[in-house]
Amino acid sequence: MTNSDETNRGETNSGETNSGEPRRPEVTTVEIIGGPEALETGLRDHDARWAQEYLRHRRLILDALAAVDAEVEHIGSTSVPGLAAKPIVDIVVAVPDITAEEDYLDGLLAAGYELRVREPGHRLVRTPARDVHVHVYERGAAAVHDYLLLRDHLRADADDRALYEQVKRDLISRRWDDMNDYADAKNDVIHAIKTRARAARR
């Protein structure tokens, strides 16, 4: 899966596009270019420069995808003021058809990003320095909604923000030979926080 701070396995969508049939069959396997990577970056106190870095990459992405009706949002812990995070800016991009890679992936690679993950419903590209991760989903994917739900709730709820940070600090003190295992270890607390976030919206 991905190295995102808030990625959860099994929450991608690989169905039809909002505009009709997919251009081609979606991939059915998980391809992680380069294989597992150990977690080597610790948590840092929130840095206002993360938001500035997001804005810089948002413009780069929109320029690269000028011919695509793409939506771009800052997600993950770096998008939540007051929350400690690994210094990796996570960005989600929603495109009309995830199977039409030539519409978005070629442009992102030409802009300097490198492909890290190709899996059903999701592509991940990142900077060579690995400090910016760009997650591409199809518009309407449940994962996009969940990223924004979690982000907005953590921005607004100090108690859940503190809880999430404490869990992350406890986990990151351990050795992780695969960053994805660290991400998976946060699933329980993320699920609990999203459940409260959904209840708060009712």
Side-chain angles (χ1 to χ4, degrees):
M1 197 66 172
T2 70
N3 297 331
S4 163
D5 218 19
E6 277 80 41
T7 295
N8 294 299
R9 297 190 179 187
E11 293 193 3
T12 59
N13 266 9
S14 56
E16 296 178 359
T17 67
N18 295 333
S19 58
E21 293 294 325
R23 189 171 300 173
R24 61 182 57 82
E26 174 59 313
V27 299
T28 58
T29 59
V30 177
E31 179 185 8
I32 302 179
I33 292 83
E37 294 174 346
L39 178 61
E40 299 176 346
T41 304
L43 297 182
R44 298 183 187 175
D45 290 339
H46 191 85
D47 190 332
R49 289 175 294 184
W50 292 335
Q52 298 171 5
E53 188 71 353
Y54 158 69
L55 291 173
R56 185 172 75 84
H57 281 272
R58 182 179 190 275
R59 175 46 52 198
L60 182 63
I61 292 165
L62 289 174
D63 287 346
L65 305 184
V68 180
D69 183 19
E71 300 169 5
V72 183
E73 292 278 356
H74 190 185
I75 58 169
S77 292
T78 62
S79 70
V80 181
L83 180 61
K86 300 191 306 297
I88 299 173
V89 174
D90 281 294
I91 298 172
V92 66
V93 177
V95 298
D97 183 353
I98 194 68
T99 74
E101 291 188 346
E102 64 273 20
D103 288 353
Y104 63 87
L105 188 55
D106 291 351
L108 292 173
L109 298 181
Y113 299 102
E114 299 176 344
L115 181 62
R116 168 63 174 164
V117 176
R118 177 186 281 115
E119 62 184 338
H122 174 237
R123 310 293 186 271
L124 169 64
V125 300
R126 63 185 181 181
T127 54
R130 304 180 183 178
D131 58 352
V132 177
H133 289 179
V134 180
H135 305 267
V136 184
Y137 291 91
E138 190 162 291
R139 185 174 294 113
V144 176
H145 174 269
D146 284 352
Y147 278 131
L148 300 180
L149 176 74
L150 181 65
R151 179 198 68 185
D152 293 347
H153 181 76
L154 289 174
R155 284 176 172 177
D157 192 298
D159 290 340
D160 273 339
R161 188 164 62 245
L163 169 65
Y164 186 48
E165 179 170 321
Q166 185 57 56
V167 169
K168 292 202 300 177
R169 290 192 182 281
D170 290 345
L171 290 173
I172 211 160
S173 65
R174 308 175 193 174
R175 176 186 172 92
W176 299 94
D177 293 326
D178 187 341
M179 290 181 67
N180 294 315
D181 293 337
Y182 164 76
D184 287 347
K186 297 181 298 179
N187 280 351
D188 286 346
V189 69
I190 289 173
H191 176 74
I193 291 173
K194 289 194 298 187
T195 298
R196 288 191 288 275
R198 293 187 184 101
R201 287 191 171 187
R202 295 191 185 118

Coordinates of all heavy atoms in Angstrom, one line a residue, residues 19 35 40 58 85 92 101 110 115 123-125 171:
S19 N -18.1 9.9 -15.4 CA -18.5 10.4 -16.7 C -18.8 9.2 -17.7 O -19.0 9.4 -18.8 CB -17.4 11.2 -17.3 OG -16.2 10.5 -17.3
G35 N 10.0 -1.7 -3.7 CA 9.8 -2.6 -2.6 C 9.7 -1.8 -1.3 O 9.6 -0.6 -1.2
E40 N 12.3 5.9 8.5 CA 13.5 6.5 9.0 C 13.3 8.0 9.5 O 14.2 8.6 10.0 CB 14.6 6.5 7.9 CG 15.0 5.1 7.5 CD 16.0 5.0 6.4 OE1 16.2 6.1 5.8 OE2 16.6 4.0 6.1
R58 N 0.7 22.2 -5.4 CA -0.6 22.3 -5.9 C -0.6 23.0 -7.3 O -1.2 22.5 -8.3 CB -1.6 23.0 -5.0 CG -3.0 23.1 -5.5 CD -3.9 23.8 -4.5 NE -5.3 23.7 -4.9 CZ -6.0 24.5 -5.7 NH1 -5.3 25.5 -6.3 NH2 -7.2 24.3 -6.0
A85 N 3.9 15.8 12.9 CA 3.9 14.9 11.7 C 5.2 14.6 11.2 O 6.2 15.3 11.5 CB 3.1 15.7 10.6
V92 N -3.8 14.9 -2.2 CA -4.7 14.0 -2.9 C -5.2 14.7 -4.1 O -5.5 15.9 -4.1 CB -5.9 13.5 -2.0 CG1 -6.8 14.6 -1.6 CG2 -6.6 12.3 -2.7
E101 N -4.4 6.5 -17.4 CA -3.1 7.0 -16.8 C -2.4 8.1 -17.7 O -1.7 9.0 -17.3 CB -2.2 5.9 -16.6 CG -2.6 5.0 -15.4 CD -1.5 4.0 -15.1 OE1 -0.6 3.8 -15.8 OE2 -1.6 3.3 -14.0
A110 N 6.4 13.9 -15.9 CA 7.1 14.9 -16.6 C 7.4 16.1 -15.7 O 8.4 16.8 -15.9 CB 6.3 15.4 -17.8
L115 N 6.9 7.5 -9.9 CA 5.8 6.5 -9.5 C 6.3 5.6 -8.4 O 7.4 5.0 -8.5 CB 5.4 5.7 -10.7 CG 4.3 4.7 -10.5 CD1 3.0 5.3 -10.1 CD2 4.1 3.8 -11.8
R123 N -3.1 5.6 -7.4 CA -1.7 5.7 -7.8 C -1.0 6.6 -6.9 O -1.6 7.6 -6.4 CB -1.6 6.2 -9.2 CG -2.4 5.5 -10.3 CD -2.0 4.1 -10.6 NE -2.8 3.5 -11.7 CZ -3.9 2.9 -11.5 NH1 -4.5 2.7 -10.3 NH2 -4.5 2.4 -12.6
L124 N 0.2 6.4 -6.6 CA 1.0 7.3 -5.7 C 2.3 7.6 -6.4 O 3.1 6.8 -6.9 CB 1.4 6.6 -4.4 CG 2.4 7.3 -3.5 CD1 1.9 8.6 -3.1 CD2 2.9 6.4 -2.4
V125 N 2.5 9.0 -6.6 CA 3.8 9.5 -7.1 C 4.4 10.3 -6.0 O 3.6 10.8 -5.1 CB 3.6 10.3 -8.4 CG1 3.1 9.4 -9.5 CG2 2.8 11.5 -8.2
L171 N 3.8 4.8 18.5 CA 4.2 3.9 17.4 C 5.5 4.2 16.8 O 6.3 3.3 16.5 CB 3.1 3.9 16.4 CG 1.7 3.3 16.7 CD1 0.7 3.6 15.6 CD2 1.9 1.8 17.0

